[in-house]
Amino acid sequence: MAKVVPFKAVKPTRAIVGLVASRPYQSYTIDERESRMDYNPYSFLHIVNPGYKYDQVITGTERYKLVKNRYLEFKEDGVFNTDKSPAYYAYKIVNRHKQEFNGIIAATSAEDYEQDIIKKHEDTIEKREQTFKTYLKTVGFNAEPVLLTYPDNDVISAIIKETQKNHAEFEFTMTYRDTHYLWKIDKQEHIEKIRAEFEKIDTIYIADGHHRSASSYLLYKDEKAKNPNHTGQESYNFFMSYLIPESELVIQEFNRLIKDLNGLSKEEFLIKLDAMFRIENRGAVPYAPSKPHHFSMYLDGEFYSLYLRKANYKFKTALDKLDAHLLYQTILKPILGIEDLRNDSRIEYVHGRHEMITIKSSVDNGEFRVGFGMCPATVKQMKEIADEGLTMPPKSTYILPKLRSGITIYEY
């Protein structure tokens, strides 16, 4: 039984919401960040990069305290206002490829995360969990929702569609040409129906935002332990999420680039591959695989197709069927000697099938020796792996939609 509740969002004013909204801080280069802050005083980047004001790089707890100060200044200046009553928020994103995503921004339960009602499919790094927990505790807000997915639900979809017939509170287009729309759902009848429908759902899955979820859970544990009058209704019991139906979640693949052949010659490498794959040379024309357990490879100016010899590979778990894991188990680890996918400097990742051209150019210019392409994972695979209590390798999925910071804010 999932607990998904309305909350009082802090939001920018309609006139400047498009100026406030930003991509996640880490997704910008230094030059991009500085350019946006030079010319846009409303960007949320000013809040999360408070050292810009003093032309200083500030880190750790000192930075977190300044983040809180910048946030309070934005509120004092009227950039942000807090809704007067709890609400759900219907949210639509239409990207430049005309893909459309419709869902609800709401507060989801840290206890549900603890009880595995909200399930994960990726491992998290404890240091990052603790760092972001300290950040949340210090700044007192979260400005980027976790992306969750739930089984398609006709009642929730009908309420979203009915709400979207009204004039959107927000409608703005970002630099990357994705357009965002937001409507407040504050009719009590709708609120109760949405809450009741989510209570019928046994499991919700994290699509993107595993560290934010884990950090919010750690904050909940700390605050609950300190509070002798804990009721379960305090703001720290919840974290902000954007929930979309499974049918609208888009998963793209992350392809792999490797810097060397682990001391092997091209011929030796191909011979080792032959033990697990049927190999066909596809020449110079870019090739992408069309079905699971097939891979593309670019090596020495030529594309190859790799077809798994299934007699030599046993599918015992849902994870074994995941192509990112299969590639790791059959090539990256045993042949190329890459064991730590998260930290090994010899491997890099590029997302999307259109990036086969990027793989070709990266190998041709000598920066990498070989590149691999694969088919994307499916929502069904993601759920099966989570249900079995297993986790995907790093960079197994590139999930859409990509969310923006500063459009709705959840205060602790």
Side-chain angles (χ1 to χ4, degrees):
M1 186 174 84
K3 190 183 298 181
V4 178
V5 302
F7 70 103
K8 296 179 183 178
V10 179
K11 307 195 303 291
T13 59
R14 176 182 172 84
I16 59 172
V17 61
L19 296 173
V20 172
S22 74
R23 302 200 315 267
Y25 177 83
Q26 297 87 349
S27 69
Y28 293 96
T29 66
I30 294 174
D31 288 343
E32 285 177 326
R33 283 200 301 266
E34 290 186 351
S35 174
R36 279 159 173 75
M37 290 188 286
D38 283 343
Y39 297 104
N40 179 5
Y42 298 111
S43 173
F44 196 77
L45 292 171
H46 285 283
I47 293 176
V48 293
N49 188 25
Y52 172 84
K53 182 176 181 179
Y54 304 107
D55 197 24
Q56 295 287 323
V57 176
I58 303 170
T59 59
T61 305
E62 183 181 12
R63 172 178 166 248
Y64 305 161
K65 291 177 180 177
L66 289 177
V67 167
K68 184 173 183 178
N69 290 345
R70 293 291 90 75
Y71 174 63
L72 293 175
E73 288 169 7
F74 268 49
K75 291 184 73 173
E76 290 163 2
D77 293 341
V79 175
F80 291 123
N81 295 295
T82 306
D83 280 347
K84 292 182 169 54
S85 60
Y88 293 112
Y89 301 89
Y91 198 78
K92 179 168 79 170
I93 303 172
V94 182
N95 66 22
R96 66 182 183 274
H97 304 296
K98 305 303 180 185
Q99 293 168 309
E100 185 173 309
F101 308 94
N102 296 273
I104 287 179
I105 296 176
T108 47
S109 168
E111 187 178 24
D112 283 356
Y113 180 89
E114 180 179 49
Q115 296 180 355
D116 215 25
I117 293 171
I118 295 176
K119 288 190 176 182
K120 64 179 183 177
H121 66 265
E122 279 186 13
D123 277 332
T124 52
I125 301 171
E126 184 178 359
K127 183 178 179 180
R128 284 184 63 189
E129 291 178 10
Q130 293 289 344
T131 297
F132 194 62
K133 180 199 75 172
T134 303
Y135 172 85
L136 293 175
K137 195 170 187 176
T138 305
V139 305
F141 69 86
N142 185 21
E144 184 185 344
V146 172
L147 181 62
L148 303 179
T149 188
Y150 62 92
D152 287 42
N153 182 287
D154 291 340
V155 174
I156 296 173
S157 293
I159 293 173
I160 292 173
K161 288 178 182 177
E162 182 180 340
T163 302
Q164 289 176 342
K165 292 177 183 177
N166 301 319
H167 186 65
E169 181 177 350
F170 292 157
E171 179 182 345
F172 60 95
T173 301
M174 302 293 292
T175 308
Y176 282 75
R177 293 179 296 170
D178 50 339
T179 303
H180 298 248
Y181 306 81
L182 179 141
W183 296 260
K184 185 190 293 188
I185 302 176
D186 56 1
K187 288 182 180 179
Q188 199 58 37
E189 175 191 359
H190 288 165
I191 286 176
E192 293 307 320
K193 281 185 178 180
I194 291 171
R195 191 198 303 261
E197 289 302 312
F198 276 115
E199 286 178 351
K200 297 175 185 177
I201 296 175
D202 294 328
T203 308
I204 291 174
Y205 296 85
I206 300 172
D208 198 11
H210 285 78
H211 282 93
R212 277 170 282 141
S213 304
S215 301
S216 297
Y217 167 65
L218 293 177
L219 178 65
Y220 151 78
K221 279 179 56 177
D222 283 0
E223 296 302 308
K224 178 182 177 181
K226 289 191 319 185
N227 185 0
N229 300 312
H230 173 82
T231 66
Q233 300 304 312
E234 297 87 355
S235 59
Y236 60 74
N237 289 278
F238 302 93
F239 56 96
M240 182 172 64
S241 297
Y242 178 44
L243 301 103
I244 67 171
E246 292 173 4
S247 63
E248 295 196 21
L249 190 71
V250 174
I251 302 179
Q252 296 179 348
E253 70 277 17
F254 265 108
N255 297 319
R256 274 65 170 144
L257 282 163
I258 314 298
K259 291 188 176 179
D260 60 65
L261 296 182
N262 197 28
L264 300 172
S265 68
K266 172 185 172 181
E267 291 73 20
E268 290 169 334
F269 177 59
L270 289 173
I271 289 170
K272 286 185 177 291
L273 285 182
D274 193 81
M276 292 298 295
F277 296 92
R278 182 163 61 86
I279 306 169
E280 292 185 16
N281 189 319
R282 300 278 180 164
V285 179
Y287 165 78
S290 59
K291 61 175 66 175
H293 317 325
H294 291 185
F295 299 90
S296 61
M297 180 177 73
Y298 185 70
L299 172 67
D300 200 22
E302 295 177 309
F303 284 92
Y304 295 81
S305 59
L306 307 180
Y307 300 150
L308 179 69
R309 299 185 190 277
K310 293 183 180 180
N312 296 341
Y313 186 89
K314 303 303 180 185
F315 299 114
K316 297 179 181 178
T317 69
L319 183 60
D320 292 333
K321 299 175 184 177
L322 182 72
D323 281 351
H325 182 69
L326 195 159
L327 184 72
Y328 172 70
Q329 293 284 41
T330 58
I331 300 176
L332 300 185
K333 182 180 177 181
I335 299 177
L336 295 177
I338 295 174
E339 298 202 17
D340 187 347
L341 291 172
R342 197 179 299 277
N343 298 309
D344 196 315
S345 62
R346 296 168 57 221
I347 185 169
E348 288 194 14
Y349 305 89
V350 291
H351 68 82
R353 201 158 295 188
H354 63 284
E355 294 295 344
M356 293 309 298
I357 301 301
T358 301
I359 287 177
K360 181 180 186 304
S361 61
S362 298
V363 172
D364 286 346
N365 68 22
E367 185 181 1
F368 295 90
R369 186 73 173 90
V370 63
F372 298 95
M374 67 188 82
C375 289
T378 64
V379 174
K380 183 174 182 285
Q381 281 183 302
M382 183 186 80
K383 291 172 60 179
E384 288 175 345
I385 290 168
D387 288 343
E388 291 183 17
L390 303 172
T391 53
M392 295 182 177
K395 302 294 186 183
S396 291
T397 57
Y398 183 81
I399 304 281
L400 296 177
K402 292 299 179 189
L403 306 179
R404 297 296 184 263
S405 298
I407 301 170
T408 57
I409 297 172
Y410 182 85
E411 290 189 338
Y412 291 99

